[in-house]
Amino acid sequence: MIHAKFESLLARKLSSFVEMSKDELGVLADLQSKPVSIKRGQVFIKERQTAHKAFFLQSGWGCSFKILPNGGRQVIRFPLPGDCVGLRSILLRASDHSCTAVTDMVVATIEAPGMLEIINKYPRLGAAFLWAISQDAAMVVEHLVSIGRRSAKERIAHFFLELAERLKLVGLATETQFDHPLNQSIIGDALGLSEVHVNRVLRELREQNLLTLREGKVNILDSSGLQKLAGYRSLQIGRDKIDMPNTD
Amino acid sequence: MIHAKFESLLARKLSSFVEMSKDELGVLADLQSKPVSIKRGQVFIKERQTAHKAFFLQSGWGCSFKILPNGGRQVIRFPLPGDCVGLRSILLRASDHSCTAVTDMVVATIEAPGMLEIINKYPRLGAAFLWAISQDAAMVVEHLVSIGRRSAKERIAHFFLELAERLKLVGLATETQFDHPLNQSIIGDALGLSEVHVNRVLRELREQNLLTLREGKVNILDSSGLQKLAGYRSLQIGRDKIDMPNTD
DNA sequence: CGACGCTTTGACACAACTCAACAACCGTGG
DNA sequence: CCACGGTTGTTGAGTTGTGTCAAAGCGTCG
């Protein structure tokens, strides 16, 4: 049922949390057997919508955000390949944010009932998803800390270090550089800054030979300098496997 | 085993998500059968610690926060009676934040292995906890939006409206007022503001007859005015029960 | 009584925002 | 082929929200 060559990013990710049985891996494979494409710019999750579906990214960049009554936009996070989007909304019965495709994307989807059935039938998978949600939440918390208590420069440095680390995990970044589809306006909306100020701070970082961002490419010139500036700590918490009884 | 009179806030909360069997309610009751006290000021979860324990608040106010390398503090949220703290850390194997007691508290605790066993044995409870974590995450997201894209005044208004709503759910607030143990410094750390500025904005809100905060009491003078100012939306998303097969 | 924690106020500094203009770079269509 | 609008990046000038520093008021508690 499961074929090693087809091992998905999702399966790899969840496996790093708890060892899966063949059955469970099969379920994960089935889950992603009918991927669909989403065009750049399309909003595929709308805040407050009640059609509960979860998405598993296979390729492309997403952007989860909320719009405020005053028209402002706050980006929550940028889902990357291997990430899940909308898991929360399955249990909450309504999405608490919108999500759009920053680039063309390929995703697998699952409806809420199917997801609930899986949790019910395969508790270990349930725990694995719980773990995935927890990881997301931890990242949102770090993001919160960034916006609340870091200066613009620290925030931007932190943001790119985190992106680099996440992209490295799925083989989309080298030690020193990666491609990205973000413009300065969306970066501003992610970090609670204005587009103009993002530009100015990027110039500073460039002038200090810490980081450059040009033509959709980020170059990390001085990783340890950036880390010191940003007060950065690796994401690598909770990636050791746990023991959980097999229910087969 | 379960006695209606002893129905806990936790059981009531989780029941609002999915109907529980007697067994499941019993598990929840057992979980909380040995409450312990925590003294005001005590830090009972430390960031990065690996002793994974979850806490269920029965009374008192907590404060989850992170300390930055530069010494700043960012408050993530204030756990209230009926809330869980540290659920995430059970799966992540390390706490991503610290937590202290703002007032004396009474809590029930559970070690990670016990929690994993419950998830494994009672998938519906697992789903319920997943739901609880999702709710928390949604609140953190809203907090993030607040700090990222709302002005100081909007933030403070939003903060107190949210607190009021949460406290009402557990019978600790009336339509117009509630007690709280927070000083302006900790409010500042929650909202990414300085203590001094919090004070100034509170004065404005008082002068505009929107809200007063004195001697540990918050009075909401003009709820709809505050809501309009803050762009506030009720938390009441995802509180309808879902259908989930019974595995008994 | 003094010490301490918390609030309040004022004066000033500065980080970040707004507005505005312009440059560079597309893809499109005449 | 060039003219065109649209998007993004860049820079300057001036404004403002919020932070910092400092001092004083006020309870409470030992």
Side-chain angles (χ1 to χ4, degrees):
Chain A
M1 190 179 216
I2 180 83
H3 191 301
K5 288 290 171 56
F6 288 150
E7 188 192 60
S8 64
L9 288 174
L10 179 64
R12 206 200 308 166
K13 184 170 170 172
L14 296 185
S15 294
S16 80
F17 164 66
V18 61
E19 202 63 59
M20 308 269 195
S21 69
K22 282 218 169 57
D23 272 11
E24 289 160 343
L25 287 171
V27 170
L28 285 181
D30 285 351
L31 214 65
Q32 303 174 91
S33 56
K34 294 190 216 70
V36 298
S37 299
I38 296 181
K39 278 266 161 25
R40 185 174 105 93
Q42 194 180 328
V43 179
F44 61 98
I45 297 179
K46 293 201 176 67
E47 194 174 340
R48 311 224 128 203
Q49 82 181 4
T50 52
H52 350 301
K53 228 191 248 183
F55 298 78
F56 302 108
L57 260 70
Q58 296 179 359
S59 71
W61 288 49
C63 169
S64 304
F65 64 95
K66 285 184 96 151
I67 300 290
L68 286 109
N70 64 34
R73 176 174 67 163
Q74 176 64 48
V75 170
I76 316 297
R77 63 164 188 148
F78 295 105
L80 302 177
D83 291 340
C84 314
V85 191
L87 267 192
R88 267 209 305 283
S89 74
I90 283 193
L91 298 210
L92 294 181
R93 307 209 41 161
S95 181
D96 62 339
H97 61 261
S98 304
C99 196
T100 184
V102 181
T103 66
D104 289 349
M105 307 192 324
V106 176
V107 305
T109 69
I110 181 170
E111 308 280 337
M115 194 67 199
L116 290 171
E117 199 187 318
I118 288 177
I119 293 174
N120 207 44
K121 226 162 142 185
Y122 303 92
R124 271 205 314 201
L125 275 178
F129 283 120
L130 211 158
W131 169 80
I133 287 186
S134 298
Q135 280 229 327
D136 279 0
M139 262 177 37
V140 173
V141 164
E142 191 60 34
H143 192 173
L144 174 72
V145 170
S146 237
I147 294 185
R149 285 292 180 223
R150 279 192 250 257
S151 70
K153 204 164 172 183
E154 292 167 338
R155 264 180 250 181
I156 291 186
H158 193 277
F159 173 71
F160 283 110
L161 286 171
E162 187 182 304
L163 261 187
E165 188 168 349
R166 291 173 62 203
L167 287 166
K168 259 183 266 171
L169 281 177
V170 289
L172 293 174
T174 70
E175 212 45 59
T176 60
Q177 77 168 27
F178 57 89
D179 293 331
H180 75 95
L182 310 176
N183 59 35
Q184 296 180 356
S185 161
I186 206 171
I187 294 172
D189 282 341
L191 300 179
L193 299 169
S194 70
E195 176 177 10
V196 176
H197 200 56
V198 169
N199 183 286
R200 281 194 261 259
V201 173
L202 283 173
R203 171 154 51 97
E204 282 182 57
L205 291 174
R206 193 188 324 131
E207 285 169 358
Q208 293 177 241
N209 292 312
L210 291 167
L211 172 147
T212 66
L213 173 145
R214 258 197 306 263
E215 296 155 23
K217 263 195 175 26
V218 171
N219 268 278
I220 294 181
L221 305 178
D222 178 356
S223 179
S224 71
L226 278 175
Q227 288 182 32
K228 207 171 133 213
L229 166 63
Y232 185 77
R233 279 182 162 167
S234 166
L235 296 172
Q236 305 286 349
I237 305 182
R239 290 192 180 267
D240 316 309
K241 282 192 199 181
I242 65 158
D243 287 326
M244 193 159 172
N246 197 327
T247 45
D248 292 348
Chain B
M1 189 177 216
I2 179 83
H3 191 301
K5 289 291 171 55
F6 288 149
E7 188 191 60
S8 65
L9 287 174
L10 178 65
R12 208 202 304 169
K13 183 170 171 172
L14 297 185
S15 293
S16 81
F17 164 66
V18 62
E19 201 65 56
M20 308 269 194
S21 70
K22 281 219 169 55
D23 274 11
E24 288 160 343
L25 287 171
V27 170
L28 286 181
D30 285 352
L31 214 66
Q32 302 175 90
S33 56
K34 294 191 214 68
V36 298
S37 299
I38 296 181
K39 278 266 162 20
R40 187 175 104 91
Q42 195 180 327
V43 179
F44 60 98
I45 297 178
K46 294 201 177 66
E47 195 175 339
R48 309 224 131 203
Q49 82 182 5
T50 52
H52 350 301
K53 226 191 253 186
F55 297 79
F56 303 107
L57 261 69
Q58 297 180 357
S59 71
W61 288 49
C63 169
S64 303
F65 64 96
K66 285 185 96 150
I67 300 289
L68 287 109
N70 64 31
R73 176 176 66 163
Q74 176 65 47
V75 170
I76 316 299
R77 63 162 188 150
F78 295 105
L80 301 177
D83 291 340
C84 313
V85 191
L87 267 191
R88 268 208 305 280
S89 73
I90 284 193
L91 299 210
L92 294 182
R93 307 210 39 163
S95 180
D96 62 338
H97 62 261
S98 304
C99 195
T100 184
V102 181
T103 66
D104 291 349
M105 305 192 324
V106 176
V107 304
T109 69
I110 182 170
E111 307 282 336
M115 193 68 198
L116 291 172
E117 200 188 316
I118 289 177
I119 293 174
N120 208 43
K121 226 162 141 188
Y122 302 92
R124 270 204 314 199
L125 274 178
F129 283 120
L130 211 157
W131 169 79
I133 287 186
S134 299
Q135 280 230 327
D136 279 0
M139 262 176 36
V140 174
V141 164
E142 190 60 34
H143 192 173
L144 173 72
V145 171
S146 239
I147 294 185
R149 284 291 180 226
R150 278 191 251 258
S151 72
K153 203 163 172 183
E154 293 167 338
R155 264 180 249 182
I156 291 187
H158 193 278
F159 174 70
F160 283 112
L161 287 171
E162 187 182 302
L163 262 187
E165 188 169 348
R166 291 174 62 204
L167 287 166
K168 260 184 267 173
L169 280 177
V170 288
L172 292 174
T174 69
E175 213 44 59
T176 61
Q177 77 168 28
F178 59 87
D179 293 330
H180 75 95
L182 309 176
N183 60 36
Q184 297 179 359
S185 161
I186 206 171
I187 295 173
D189 282 341
L191 301 179
L193 299 169
S194 70
E195 177 178 6
V196 176
H197 201 58
V198 169
N199 185 285
R200 281 194 270 255
V201 174
L202 282 174
R203 171 153 53 93
E204 282 182 58
L205 292 175
R206 193 188 325 130
E207 285 168 358
Q208 293 177 244
N209 292 311
L210 290 167
L211 172 147
T212 65
L213 172 145
R214 258 196 309 264
E215 297 154 22
K217 265 197 175 22
V218 171
N219 267 277
I220 294 180
L221 305 178
D222 178 357
S223 180
S224 71
L226 278 175
Q227 287 181 34
K228 205 172 134 211
L229 167 63
Y232 184 76
R233 280 183 163 166
S234 167
L235 297 171
Q236 305 287 347
I237 304 182
R239 290 192 178 267
D240 317 309
K241 283 190 198 181
I242 65 158
D243 287 327
M244 194 161 170
N246 197 328
T247 45
D248 291 348

